[in-house]
Amino acid sequence: MRQIIAMGGGGFSMEPENPLLDQYILEQAQSNRPKVCFIPTASGDADGYIQRFYHSFENHPCRPSHLSLFKNTPHDLEDYILEKDILYVGGGNTRNMLVLWQEWNLDQYIKKAWENHVILAGLSAGAICWFEEGVTDSLPGVLTRLECLGFLKGSSCPHYDGEADRRTSYHRLLKNKEINAGIAMDDGVAVHYKDEQIFGVVSSRPLARAYQVTCADQEVTEIEMIPTYLGYE
């Protein structure tokens, strides 16, 4: 199956002492030691971000690597991507990330990998990028709509409870008909898609939620999606 695991926030970079979401991602692979590649393009391939990835994932049963488009980029980028089990995309500037991916044809290689059952995962920028459009802070000022890859239908908004203006901005964009209906995710929540349909919602925080968000006649409706908490109550 084609799988995408989109996190509103969380994972090793936001919850270094709480590995529940990262463990869940690894458990979806067919291999006992999956090859997981971190793609930190949205952060400008920040060294500290890459180091935190290795520090965390070297403690998991997997074979971690990372892809840089700024230095030491693999000669055959397509083969490098296709031989992985999981592609894990980090947070940062979604707009810059997508521009660079297009320049390197990485967006096409990632799509081919997904169609060949490589699991796609990520948080924030690494979550909204899979949808048709997302709510982003990639441009200075107010949060705006960004056209994304379109592997999944609709729109997406991360950090729904973690940043004060995320919910109000998503509602504003919906009411102004600047963005289509979609999924909002609190920090600590992952929405797991199989073949473009929601398979499940999981969380690393007991009170975190996801929402199906729509708008009709200037009225925004949120349908709460209660996740399966991955820890112990």
Side-chain angles (χ1 to χ4, degrees):
M1 288 186 174
R2 296 182 298 275
Q3 297 191 69
I4 295 177
I5 303 170
M7 296 183 283
F12 73 92
S13 61
M14 290 186 66
E15 299 178 314
E17 305 304 321
N18 184 351
L20 292 174
L21 288 178
D22 290 340
Q23 288 174 348
Y24 178 82
I25 292 169
L26 292 172
E27 287 167 0
Q28 308 316 306
Q30 296 297 312
S31 171
N32 290 328
R33 292 189 67 246
K35 291 176 283 188
V36 53
C37 178
F38 180 49
I39 305 180
T41 317
S43 71
D45 290 349
D47 286 337
Y49 203 4
I50 295 168
Q51 291 168 10
R52 293 202 306 277
F53 165 73
Y54 282 110
H55 178 74
S56 176
F57 276 76
E58 284 171 351
N59 295 316
H60 294 297
C62 66
R63 288 169 283 177
S65 63
H66 77 279
L67 171 66
S68 174
L69 296 181
F70 290 84
K71 57 184 178 181
N72 301 320
T73 305
H75 176 70
D76 194 326
L77 190 54
E78 182 175 6
D79 280 353
Y80 183 82
I81 289 295
L82 289 173
E83 61 96 19
K84 305 304 181 189
D85 297 303
I86 300 169
L87 303 177
Y88 188 127
V89 180
N93 190 305
T94 318
R95 181 187 176 98
N96 288 351
M97 178 182 77
L98 292 174
V99 169
L100 276 172
W101 283 7
Q102 185 175 28
E103 181 67 24
W104 285 83
N105 290 325
L106 184 57
D107 53 345
Q108 298 303 312
Y109 303 150
I110 290 175
K111 184 176 183 181
K112 185 175 179 180
W114 172 59
E115 291 170 343
N116 283 273
H117 312 301
V118 176
I119 297 169
L120 307 183
L123 76 155
S124 194
I128 69 172
C129 65
W130 313 123
F131 293 81
E132 291 178 313
E133 49 191 356
V135 179
T136 182
D137 58 0
S138 296
L139 295 173
V142 298
L143 294 169
T144 56
R145 170 196 177 272
L146 180 69
E147 184 174 346
C148 298
L149 295 173
F151 298 176
L152 300 173
K153 297 293 185 182
S155 65
S156 174
C157 182
H159 307 304
Y160 209 51
D161 68 336
E163 297 178 5
D165 52 352
R166 286 284 175 171
R167 184 181 245 112
T168 56
S169 295
Y170 197 16
H171 289 197
R172 168 179 53 81
L173 292 168
L174 286 162
K175 289 179 179 179
N176 292 341
K177 299 183 179 179
E178 295 177 47
I179 201 168
N180 290 310
I183 297 291
M185 297 167 286
D186 289 347
D187 289 340
V189 164
V191 181
H192 186 176
Y193 290 82
K194 290 188 177 182
D195 290 339
E196 296 92 273
Q197 301 297 317
I198 295 176
F199 168 75
V201 182
V202 298
S203 73
S204 59
R205 306 179 186 183
L207 301 180
R209 297 290 184 265
Y211 304 86
Q212 293 177 317
V213 188
T214 60
C215 183
D217 299 323
Q218 293 293 297
E219 185 72 25
V220 174
T221 300
E222 296 180 346
I223 299 176
E224 187 176 274
M225 305 166 69
I226 300 177
T228 298
Y229 176 53
L230 297 171
Y232 299 97
E233 299 277 6

